[in-house]
C-alpha cells in the first residue's frame, strides 16, 4: 500500500469514527490491559517486552505515553498521525535481539504488529459486549476496518491482518491456540505488575495508604483480567479459574459503562484520570497546585536541590542506579536501559528524526564509555556494585553530548535558555504550567547540571521527573 493510499484510508478516523472516541475514555483501559496480556504471550512481543520495556518499573509513565501516542495516531489531522507513526517506526527499528531461548525477535516484525492490532480489536469488541453495548454486525465491520487502517498507518500495509471480518476470527483463534505461549512476560503482567505497582504521583507521599490499597486492588485486578481472557488462551497457558472472578469482571465492565453513560463526560476521560493520579498534569488538582506556590515550584524545577552539607543533595550512586539507571528493573545496567531513557525523552519532547538520532547516538557514546570503564568481562552488563564503586570517576563525554542535544532542542535563539524556554521544555516533558522569571541558563551551566545529575552526584527534581517517575 502506498503512503498516499494509507493517508486517504486513514481519514476514516473522522467525526464518525468508532475507535477514535474510545481512546479518550478511561474505560478503554480495561481493553488495553487485556490486549497487552494477549500481546505479551506472543513470542516476539514477550521477548521484546522483557528485554527492553520499562512497563514493570515505570507503569504509570508507560500508561501516560501509550495514551498520548494513541491519541496522536487517531488525530483528525493526517499530519499528526503520520508524524507519530514515523516516530513509532523509528523507535521500533531500534528494538531487536535474541530471547533467552536463542530465538530472534524484532519489534518491527509485521506479524507481531498485526497481532497487536488484532488484540486491540478483539479486546474492544469484548469491552463493548461486557459493558452491555454489544456491536451489531455493521458496527463490528466498521470497527474492524478502522483497525486495519490503523495497522496500515503504522506498517504501510494491512496485509498481515485478514481482509474481512469473517476471515479474522479463524486467524485469531489460530494464533491463540498455536502461537501464543505462557512466557515470562505473561507471568510478570499477571503476578508482578499489580503487586509491585509503584504509587502514582499523587500518593507517593503516602506509602501506607498506597500499600493498603494495592493489597486489596492487586488480586482483584488479576482476577478481572484473567476472567476476561478467551477460554482457549486460559487453557493454553493454564490460568486458574478463580471463584467469582467472572461476576467480578462483568460488574467492573458494567460499572465502567454506567459511569461513562451517566457521569459528566469530562469525568470519564483519560485526561481526567491522569489528572487525578498526577497533580503535575493539567487536571482537577491544577488550581490547588498553583495556589500552593508557583514561584516555589519554578525554583525547585529549574535548580538542583540545595547542598546542606551533602546529606540530602548528594544521592548515593547505589540509589541513583536503582531509581534512574536501571530502567528495565533487572538489577543491572545494559544498553536497553539507556535506550529506554532516550525513547522517553524523544517521546515526551516529540523530537523530530534528526534530533532523535542525535540523542540516541549520544546515549550510545555514553554506553561505550560505561562499557570501557566498567564492563570488564564484556558481557554487556554493569552491576550496581560496579557502578557505585566507580561512579565519581566515570568519563563524561557521552553525557555532555546528551546535554547538548537537550540544550539545542530547548534554546531557540541565543545560546542561552531563558526562563520561558526552560518552562517550555519541562511543560512539554511534564505538563507543568509554571510561571515566573529567572536568570538565563548558559549551555555550560545546563550541561554541568545535567552531567551532575546523570553521574549520580546531585539531585534534580526536573530530571528525576523525566527519567525516574513511575
Amino acid at each position: 500500500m502506498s503512503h498516499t493510499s494509507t493517508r486517504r484510508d486513514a481519514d476514516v478516523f473522522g467525526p464518525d469514527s468508532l475507535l477514535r472516541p474510545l481512546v479518550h475514555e478511561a474505560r478503554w483501559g480495561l481493553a488495553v490491559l487485556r490486549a497487552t496480556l494477549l500481546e505479551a504471550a506472543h513470542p516476539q512481543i514477550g521477548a521484546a517486552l522483557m528485554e527492553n520495556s520499562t512497563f514493570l518499573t515505570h507503569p504509570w509513565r508507560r500508561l501516560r505515553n501509550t495514551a498520548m501516542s494513541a491519541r496522536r495516531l487517531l488525530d483528525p489531522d493526517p499530519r499528526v498521525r503520520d508524524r507519530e507513526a514515523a516516530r513509532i517506526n523509528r523507535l521500533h527499528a531500534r528494538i531487536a535481539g535474541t530471547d533467552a531461548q536463542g530465538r530472534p525477535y524484532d519489534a518491527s516484525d509485521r506479524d507481531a504488529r498485526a497481532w497487536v492490532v488484532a488484540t486491540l480489536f478483539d479486546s474492544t469488541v469484548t469491552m463493548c459486549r461486557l459493558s452491555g453495548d454489544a456491536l451489531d454486525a455493521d458496527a463490528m465491520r466498521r470497527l474492524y476496518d478502522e483497525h486495519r487502517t490503523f495497522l496500515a498507518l503504522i506498517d504501510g500495509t494491512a496485509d498481515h491482518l485478514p481482509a474481512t471480518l469473517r476471515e479474522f476470527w479463524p486467524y485469531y483463534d489460530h494464533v491463540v491456540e498455536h502461537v501464543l505461549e505462557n512466557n515470562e512476560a505473561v507471568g510478570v503482567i499477571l503476578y508482578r505488575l499489580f503487586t509491585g505497582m509503584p504509587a502514582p504521583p499523587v500518593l507517593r507521599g503516602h506509602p501506607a495508604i498506597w500499600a493498603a490499597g494495592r493489597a486489596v486492588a492487586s488480586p482483584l485486578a488479576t482476577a478481572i483480567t484473567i476472567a476476561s481472557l478467551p477460554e482457549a488462551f486460559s487453557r493454553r497457558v493454564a490460568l486458574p479459574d478463580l471463584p467469582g472472578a467472572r461476576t467480578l469482571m462483568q460488574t467492573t465492565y458494567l460499572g465502567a459503562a454506567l459511569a461513562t453513560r451517566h457521569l459528566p463526560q469530562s469525568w470519564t476521560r483519560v485526561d481526567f484520570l491522569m489528572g487525578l493520579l498526577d497533580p503535575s498534569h493539567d487536571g482537577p488538582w491544577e488550581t490547588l497546585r498553583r495556589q500552593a506556590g508557583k514561584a516555589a515550584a519554578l525554583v525547585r524545577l529549574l535548580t538542583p536541590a540545595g547542598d546542606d552539607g551533602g546529606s540530602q543533595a548528594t544521592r548515593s550512586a547505589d540509589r541513583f542506579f536503582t531509581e534512574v539507571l536501571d530502567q528495565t528493573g533487572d538489577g543491572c545496567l545494559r544498553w536497553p536501559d539507556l535506550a529506554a531513557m532516550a525513547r522517553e525523552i524523544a517521546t515526551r519532547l516529540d523530537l523530530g528524526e534528526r534530533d532523535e538520532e542525535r540523542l540516541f547516538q549520544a546515549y550510545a557514546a555514553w554506553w561505550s564509555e560505561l562499557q570501557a570503564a566498567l564492563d570488564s568481562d564484556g558481557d554487556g552488563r554493569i552491576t550496581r556494585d560496579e557502578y557505585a564503586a566507580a561512579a565519581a570517576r566515570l568519563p563524561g563525554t557521552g553525557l555532555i553530548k546528551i546535554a547538548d542535544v537537550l540544550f539545542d532542542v530547548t534554546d531557540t535563539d541565543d545560546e542561552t535558555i531563558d526562563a520561558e524556554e526552560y518552562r517550555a521544555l519541562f511543560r512539554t516533558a511534564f505538563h507543568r504550567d509554571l510561571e515566573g522569571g529567572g536568570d538565563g541558563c548558559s549551555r555550560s551551566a545546563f550541561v554541568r547540571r545535567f552531567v551532575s545529575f546523570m553521574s549520580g552526584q546531585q539531585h534534580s527534581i526536573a530530571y528525576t521527573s523525566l527519567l525516574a517517575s513511575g
Side-chain angles (χ1 to χ4, degrees), residues 37 182 186 190-191 226 229 233-241:
L37 186 62
N182 190 3
V186 170
L190 282 177
Y191 304 115
I226 290 176
L229 296 170
F233 175 76
S234 296
R235 290 195 304 268
R236 180 170 176 78
V237 301
L239 294 178
D241 185 8

Side-chain angles (χ1 to χ4, degrees), residues 34-35 38 114-115 117-123 126 161-162 167-180 228-230 232-233:
R34 178 182 185 273
L38 291 168
W115 179 244
V117 177
T119 63
L120 284 173
F121 169 70
D122 173 66
S123 294
T126 299
L161 272 183
E167 297 169 296
F168 171 78
W169 297 115
Y171 151 82
Y172 184 85
D173 292 341
H174 171 80
V175 175
V176 168
E177 295 177 13
H178 300 287
V179 177
L180 302 189
S228 71
L229 296 170
F233 175 76

